Amino acid sequence: MHFLEQQQTSQYYIDLEEHYGANNYHPLDVVIHEAAGCWVTDVDGKQYLDCLSAYSCVNQGHAHPKIREALIEQAGRVTLTSRAFRNDQFGPYLETLCKLTGYQRVLPMNTGAEAVETAIKMVRKWGYKVKGIPAERAEIIICAGNFQGRTTTIIGFSSEDQYRDGFGPFTPGFISVPYGDAAALEKAITPNTAAFMLEPIQGEGGIIVPPAGYLKRVADICKRNNVLLVVDEIQTGLGRTGKLLAQEYDDVRGDVILLGKALSGGYYPVSAVLSSNEIMGVFNPGDHGSTFGGNPLGAAVARVALNVLVEERMVENAAEMGEYFQEQLAEINSPYVNEVRGRGLLIGVDLKPEAGGARRFCEALRDQGVLCKETHGHIIRFAPPLIITKEEIDWALERVRPVLMGQF
Ligand SMILES: *Cc1c(COP(=O)(O)O)cnc(C)c1O
């Protein structure tokens, strides 16, 4: 195959990607060349308002100048030491993260899926060494509709057929209960249950917000039964829902929480497992690790990414702007919209079957300069950077209103 090197055209880059890349994604055809704040620019120079934030990774906005400065400065000094040695960025980053969240200890990884895998290993080991579960019997309860990553173990407890199809055999030891149903959790607990793991709002599952008080009830059930509560805040955390952690809405503190995505403001893969001295104490040198986890580049970037969230009041802005955006979306009286739901700036617009799927709405929004991505075929997610202003939301709404009314 021969590619015409008309390097400035979108089609050139799309053709290259389609020819050489694995076919495991179905992106919208917009080829982004640069970005700043809430805005991205494609190779043709057209600007778009980013209402996806790379699945909530760029909560701090694209190319945040302070995070970029930290990255460039650290990149010029030392980027990787491995944990065979220590580095002067790792400790200060751990301290920042612990002081901000109130957790005692951090285990650093890179991607969200690695944080989930780390939590699975940790709660299993806690189950055997502390709770006294007989060898090889530990159970972890998870929720139907979860999305927690793409490793073979994690997809093994997914309820999405496509995520599993052709990838078995899977890791045993996971029990599924319906999301939002505390009684079902209580019934599923056995003496061998090490942990219950859930997302405070199911993100990829379709912005599913559980009934009020659900998290509080499951936290109580876990406590009564000596079961660890693992809260996956990889998407909901770091201000996305209008609180630093979504679990705060129910006044809950998971025994273990997982962070990723926005932890590095989109600059670098950084994830973390946070817990107590006691639970994290099950790990001894050699039990677990990651070559890149805790590297000085990621640590420097993540520390600043956390600082700007707080200093620039992004969490408060997400609460305010989220409420406004959601309210305005709900007021659009479209025959195609079933429901608008979410919290803070994690918003889902659930379309009726007669809408003919969310994809064509996302394509129409792209044509109008608003970037969104469908999830589960019939839900449009609105999750802009947390720095978005009311003016920018109004700009988006002017374009979203006619599209949701089917005028395209
Ligand atoms: C995105 C996501 C993950 C997986 O993160 P990766 O970095 O893609 O591995 C895990 N849990 C939740 C809730 C997520 O949204």
Side-chain angles (χ1 to χ4, degrees):
M1 191 167 167
H2 180 69
F3 297 102
L4 286 173
E5 288 201 32
Q6 296 166 315
Q7 297 216 2
Q8 299 309 315
T9 71
S10 296
Q11 199 56 49
Y12 170 72
Y13 297 104
I14 293 168
D15 288 347
L16 281 179
E17 184 176 321
E18 293 296 312
H19 185 73
Y20 291 112
N23 190 29
N24 59 328
Y25 274 95
H26 183 29
L28 288 179
D29 284 338
V30 49
V31 183
I32 296 168
H33 175 63
E34 59 185 353
C38 297
W39 297 85
V40 303
T41 308
D42 73 8
V43 291
D44 303 319
K46 182 174 173 185
Q47 284 208 310
Y48 305 81
L49 185 67
D50 182 0
C51 282
L52 182 66
S53 307
Y55 297 97
S56 299
C57 289
V58 288
N59 284 5
Q60 298 88 339
H62 288 277
H64 191 290
K66 285 192 175 158
I67 311 175
R68 184 175 53 200
E69 195 185 301
L71 177 102
I72 291 170
E73 207 207 319
Q74 190 59 40
R77 209 158 46 226
V78 58
T79 56
L80 187 59
T81 56
S82 83
R83 298 285 304 277
F85 311 117
R86 301 180 190 268
N87 70 74
D88 63 2
Q89 297 301 310
F90 186 44
Y93 157 61
L94 298 178
E95 183 184 39
T96 300
L97 187 50
C98 286
K99 286 197 166 156
L100 182 62
T101 57
Y103 284 87
Q104 290 173 316
R105 280 182 193 269
V106 180
L107 198 155
M109 298 296 280
N110 310 286
T111 65
E114 288 175 328
V116 174
E117 290 277 353
T118 299
I120 290 168
K121 288 173 75 172
M122 186 170 75
V123 300
R124 279 183 170 177
K125 193 157 185 204
W126 175 88
Y128 297 125
K129 306 291 175 185
V130 179
K131 182 166 173 170
I133 296 171
E136 305 297 308
R137 295 289 182 78
E139 292 166 359
I140 297 172
I141 302 175
I142 50 81
C143 288
N146 69 77
F147 179 89
Q148 302 198 261
R150 297 286 201 164
T151 66
T152 47
T153 289
I154 296 170
I155 59 163
F157 59 77
S158 170
S159 26
E160 277 296 299
D161 288 339
Q162 195 202 345
Y163 294 171
R164 300 162 50 94
D165 183 33
F167 300 127
F170 300 115
T171 313
F174 296 95
I175 314 281
S176 178
V177 296
Y179 187 61
D181 184 346
L185 168 67
E186 188 142 40
K187 259 180 69 185
I189 290 174
T190 75
N192 294 338
T193 306
F196 174 51
M197 179 164 68
L198 84 170
E199 302 153 80
I201 294 174
Q202 288 185 333
E204 301 316 300
I207 323 295
I208 310 294
V209 184
Y214 170 64
L215 217 56
K216 184 82 202 151
R217 284 198 291 283
V218 302
D220 291 342
I221 291 166
C222 286
K223 197 165 200 67
R224 266 192 278 117
N225 289 278
N226 196 24
V227 165
L228 299 181
L229 177 64
V230 182
V231 184
D232 180 347
E233 294 260 14
I234 290 168
Q235 184 157 167
T236 53
L238 303 177
R240 174 51 57 190
T241 69
K243 301 262 192 201
L244 183 71
L245 300 170
Q247 65 177 6
E248 292 168 27
Y249 278 104
D250 278 20
D251 209 11
V252 160
R253 278 178 60 79
D255 300 294
V256 181
I257 66 162
L258 312 179
L259 296 176
K261 295 204 164 106
L263 189 47
S264 60
Y267 273 91
Y268 202 84
V270 178
S271 67
V273 178
L274 288 83
S275 191
S276 63
N277 289 330
E278 194 214 353
I279 298 165
M280 203 72 97
V282 301
F283 282 129
N284 296 309
D287 281 355
H288 187 54
S290 161
T291 306
F292 276 81
N295 72 78
L297 189 58
V301 162
R303 183 157 58 95
V304 176
L306 290 168
N307 284 341
V308 299
L309 266 181
V310 177
E311 286 163 9
E312 298 174 25
R313 299 180 54 80
M314 293 180 193
V315 185
E316 292 83 350
N317 193 60
E320 266 172 58
M321 290 301 118
E323 192 178 338
Y324 176 68
F325 202 177
Q326 202 173 318
E327 216 173 72
Q328 293 292 311
L329 286 168
E331 272 179 22
I332 302 171
N333 202 0
S334 164
Y336 300 116
V337 174
N338 178 38
E339 187 186 27
V340 177
R341 57 176 181 252
R343 233 171 213 163
L345 284 170
L346 184 58
I347 304 171
V349 176
D350 190 345
L351 301 179
K352 293 177 184 171
E354 51 267 40
R359 175 90 186 181
R360 63 190 200 96
F361 286 83
C362 290
E363 286 170 348
L365 285 169
R366 173 206 56 198
D367 294 344
Q368 298 302 315
V370 178
L371 292 186
C372 294
K373 188 69 168 65
E374 77 277 6
T375 173
H376 278 254
H378 59 97
I379 298 150
I380 311 172
R381 168 176 21 204
F382 289 91
L386 310 187
I387 58 169
I388 196 166
T389 62
K390 182 169 176 295
E391 290 68 35
E392 285 168 327
I393 291 175
D394 287 336
W395 188 93
L397 284 164
E398 268 176 52
R399 285 144 186 91
V400 171
R401 280 191 198 100
V403 169
L404 282 186
M405 295 302 288
Q407 293 159 11
F408 58 89

